[in-house]
């Protein structure tokens, strides 16, 4: 039965393909693939084109979108539907594949197109227009969240963690973006002492966390429409995370972001300069010599392409997570504008400026946002030397 249905779909597509292509060509329409199955792809694509529509750089009727088979966040999808033309049609899917496979990329929109043509180019728009996210129509859900966690008029911090249990792949490898949640304990205690309510924002189950740590934060269960996580991020004063999908929700909500345990150096160029307030990086240690590699060396060796700890070890490299103090001080600098150490700001500016020039030349980009915590820079400034 399934084969018959697929055959009928394919036959229908063949019959209408020519007039459909003619329509696309004459009216300069694009077919857009909205990757709704992954929160990172979904938020990045949605936010980029929302900003262009608001800025009148594009006509929303010139791109017809189709979603993935799975929608990871119903609440955000309903928000995006208010601004995009979206149809869940196999004809759009088939047409998109037909155009992509024949190299006719000027008629399609996908993640690659957004990365190359939209993210950096639209930075200047991200703080110009109101957030795409609206909670209109979800008043009852919001009331329930406020009452459940007793957070009306309270200060909120949100974070996303990728521990060694997160996205462990089929060959049991550990992502280089994962880190131990225990390294957040000192920061959480400090935030609790300053009357913050702390919420974990991702679907990872709580594995083997210490009892002391569990008492410091809430681990909200996802509701049917996925409103909870989006609302908590929207309400928070800071979102703390390693590079991962939920960062996209914070960008959509236009909230300050601290990126910790950063490893994807080839994606540093995509860090939004308006909302990424600090970045602190994992360090790479040569196993044979015991020396920490400079970040220039890390980039030139393309270690960012080794996405799993096991592959790095096989190449003679150990990866070192951010310490409790590095994370604590990065948060303290953002929230309370504090720095516990003396630092020569002119020296910091010069070193990071030189490093930025190297980065731009290496990756062939026009601009780069490197906002590094004072504490992290003071203790690791030689890693930025060229």
């Amino acid at each position: 039965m399934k084969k018959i249905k697929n055959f009928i779909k394919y036959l229908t597509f063949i019959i209408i393909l020519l007039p459909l292509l003619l329509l696309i060509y004459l009216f300069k329409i694009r077919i857009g693939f909205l990757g709704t199955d992954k929160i990172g792809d979904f938020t990045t694509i949605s936010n980029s084109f929302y900003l262009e529509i608001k800025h009148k750089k594009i006509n929303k009727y010139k791109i017809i979108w189709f979603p993935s088979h799975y929608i990871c966040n119903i609440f955000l999808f309903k928000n995006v539907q208010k601004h995009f033309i979206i149809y869940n049609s196999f004809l759009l899917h088939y047409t998109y594949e037909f155009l992509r496979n024949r190299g006719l990329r000027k008629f399609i929109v996908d993640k690659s197109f957004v990365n190359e043509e939209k993210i950096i180019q639209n930075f200047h728009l991200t703080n110009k227009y109101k957030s795409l996210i609206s909670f209109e129509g979800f008043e009852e859900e919001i009331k329930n969240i406020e009452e459940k966690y007793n957070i009306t008029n309270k200060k909120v911090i949100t974070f996303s963690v990728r521990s060694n249990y997160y996205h462990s792949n089929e060959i049991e490898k550990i992502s280089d973006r994962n880190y131990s949640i225990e390294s957040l304990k000192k920061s959480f205690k400090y935030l609790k002492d300053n009357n913050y309510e702390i919420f974990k924002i991702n679907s990872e189950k709580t594995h083997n966390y210490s009892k002391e740590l569990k008492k410091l934060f809430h681990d909200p269960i996802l509701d049917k429409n996925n409103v909870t996580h989006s609302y908590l991020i929207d309400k928070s004063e800071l979102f703390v995370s390693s590079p991962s999908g939920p960062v996209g929700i914070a960008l959509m909500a236009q909230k300050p972001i601290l990126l910790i345990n950063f490893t994807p150096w080839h994606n540093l160029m995509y860090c939004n300069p308006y909302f990424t307030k600090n970045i602190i990086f994992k360090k790479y240690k040569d196993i044979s010599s015991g020396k920490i590699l400079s970040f220039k060396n890390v980039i030139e060796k393309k270690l960012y392409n080794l996405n799993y700890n096991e592959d790095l070890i096989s190449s003679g490299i150990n990866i070192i997570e951010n310490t409790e103090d590095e994370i604590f001080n990065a948060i303290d600098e953002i929230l309370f504008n504090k720095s516990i150490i003396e630092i020569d700001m002119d020296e910091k500016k010069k070193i990071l400026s030189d490093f930025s020039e190297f980065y731009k030349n290496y990756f062939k980009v026009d601009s780069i946002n490197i906002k590094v915590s004072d504490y992290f820079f003071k203790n690791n400034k030689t890693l930025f030397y060229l």
Side-chain angles (χ1 to χ4, degrees):
M1 190 65 180
K2 187 177 180 181
K3 288 183 178 180
I4 294 173
K5 285 179 69 176
N6 288 338
F7 175 75
I8 293 172
K9 284 182 178 181
Y10 184 72
L11 185 62
T12 305
F13 170 68
I14 293 298
I15 291 170
I16 71 165
L17 177 60
L18 188 58
L20 191 57
L21 292 177
L22 187 62
L23 187 69
I24 289 170
Y25 178 78
L26 290 176
F27 291 94
K28 295 181 172 57
I29 293 172
R30 286 179 176 241
I31 305 296
F33 171 52
L34 196 56
T36 54
D37 56 331
K38 296 179 179 178
I39 193 65
D41 293 351
F42 178 33
T43 53
T44 298
I45 295 170
S46 301
N47 208 37
S48 294
F49 279 91
Y50 164 76
L51 292 170
E52 293 213 333
I53 291 167
K54 295 295 287 185
H55 200 60
K56 302 189 185 316
K57 288 178 68 175
I58 60 169
N59 183 332
K60 75 173 186 177
Y61 297 101
K62 291 292 186 178
I63 305 176
I64 303 175
W65 301 87
F66 70 95
S68 304
H69 294 300
Y70 173 70
I71 296 173
C72 63
N73 191 304
I74 301 297
F75 167 74
L76 291 179
F77 184 71
K78 288 182 177 180
N79 271 270
V80 172
Q81 279 183 311
K82 297 174 184 177
H83 305 281
F84 287 30
I85 306 302
I86 304 175
Y87 294 104
N88 190 6
S89 169
F90 74 90
L91 291 174
L92 290 175
H93 191 173
Y94 284 13
T95 305
Y96 168 84
E97 295 291 346
F98 177 88
L99 294 168
R100 187 184 66 173
N101 293 339
R102 284 154 183 80
L104 300 171
R105 301 197 64 82
K106 69 177 183 178
F107 296 111
I108 65 171
V109 175
D110 58 9
K111 180 184 176 182
S112 297
F113 175 78
V114 173
N115 286 349
E116 294 168 11
E117 304 287 342
K118 299 298 177 184
I119 298 178
I120 297 173
Q121 293 85 339
N122 287 340
F123 277 161
H124 69 289
L125 301 178
T126 53
N127 67 341
K128 186 172 182 177
Y129 295 102
K130 186 179 177 182
S131 168
L132 182 154
I133 297 175
S134 167
F135 295 94
E136 185 178 347
F138 293 91
E139 289 79 9
E140 190 62 34
E141 289 90 338
I142 300 308
K143 180 182 176 184
N144 291 337
I145 296 167
E146 293 270 354
E147 290 177 353
K148 182 176 181 179
Y149 298 107
N150 191 25
I151 55 174
T152 304
N153 300 321
K154 287 189 177 179
K155 299 183 293 184
V156 170
I157 294 289
T158 49
F159 75 98
S160 173
V161 63
R162 292 180 55 148
S163 78
N164 290 343
Y165 297 95
Y166 187 77
H167 281 193
S168 180
N169 69 6
E170 64 276 4
I171 53 176
E172 299 300 321
K173 288 186 177 182
I174 298 170
S175 170
D176 65 334
R177 301 190 194 189
N178 294 0
Y179 65 95
S180 170
I181 191 174
E182 296 292 330
S183 62
L184 296 170
K185 189 188 297 181
K186 179 177 180 179
S187 299
F188 286 174
K189 286 180 179 178
Y190 179 63
L191 292 169
K192 291 292 285 185
D193 288 343
N194 282 275
N195 301 314
Y196 279 91
E197 294 296 324
I198 306 166
F199 292 87
K200 182 163 78 74
I201 306 294
N202 62 340
S203 56
E204 174 180 307
K205 294 179 180 178
T206 303
H207 289 280
N208 301 324
Y209 299 169
S210 65
K211 290 182 179 179
E212 183 184 12
L213 181 62
K214 286 181 183 179
K215 292 177 181 178
L216 297 174
F217 68 90
H218 304 279
D219 189 7
I221 298 172
L222 280 175
D223 56 284
K224 181 181 178 181
N225 288 317
N226 315 107
V227 179
T228 302
H229 285 175
S230 297
Y231 180 69
L232 291 170
I233 290 176
D234 188 72
K235 190 176 174 66
S236 66
E237 293 186 17
L238 180 66
F239 181 72
V240 181
S241 177
S242 64
S244 61
V247 174
I249 305 178
L251 284 172
M252 263 189 169
Q254 301 176 347
K255 292 298 173 180
I257 298 164
L258 165 62
L259 291 176
I260 64 176
N261 289 296
F262 194 98
T263 57
W265 280 95
H266 55 310
N267 291 331
L268 182 64
M269 64 192 79
Y270 300 126
C271 293
N272 189 292
Y274 296 104
F275 301 111
T276 307
K277 300 302 181 181
N278 261 335
I279 307 172
I280 53 178
F281 304 87
K282 282 190 178 182
K283 294 178 276 290
Y284 294 76
K285 182 178 180 180
D286 185 288
I287 294 173
S288 59
S289 68
K291 293 182 178 179
I292 304 296
L293 301 182
S294 72
F295 292 137
K296 178 176 183 287
N297 206 345
V298 169
I299 291 171
E300 290 177 334
K301 289 178 177 290
K302 294 181 168 55
L303 296 180
Y304 50 81
N305 285 331
L306 300 178
N307 300 137
Y308 298 101
N309 292 355
E310 291 81 359
D311 296 337
L312 284 161
I313 291 171
S314 297
S315 299
I317 301 294
N318 261 335
I319 197 163
I320 302 172
E321 296 179 5
N322 292 141
T323 65
E324 273 194 322
D325 285 337
E326 286 172 346
I327 297 171
F328 170 84
N329 282 283
I331 291 173
D332 204 27
E333 290 169 25
I334 296 171
L335 287 179
F336 305 105
N337 198 28
K338 292 181 181 178
S339 183
I340 65 170
I341 57 172
E342 293 289 330
I343 185 168
D344 185 334
M345 295 307 295
D346 290 335
E347 179 191 38
K348 180 182 178 182
K349 183 177 179 180
K350 176 68 168 59
I351 292 172
L352 291 183
S353 176
D354 290 344
F355 184 82
S356 296
E357 287 303 313
F358 157 73
Y359 186 96
K360 288 190 290 185
N361 290 331
Y362 187 89
F363 287 104
K364 296 179 173 55
V365 294
D366 295 328
S367 62
I368 182 65
N369 170 45
I370 306 182
K371 294 182 180 177
V372 182
S373 155
D374 289 345
Y375 180 89
F376 183 88
F377 179 82
K378 178 77 172 181
N379 290 285
N380 300 283
K381 67 180 180 181
T382 58
L383 301 185
F384 293 95
Y385 288 176
L386 301 180

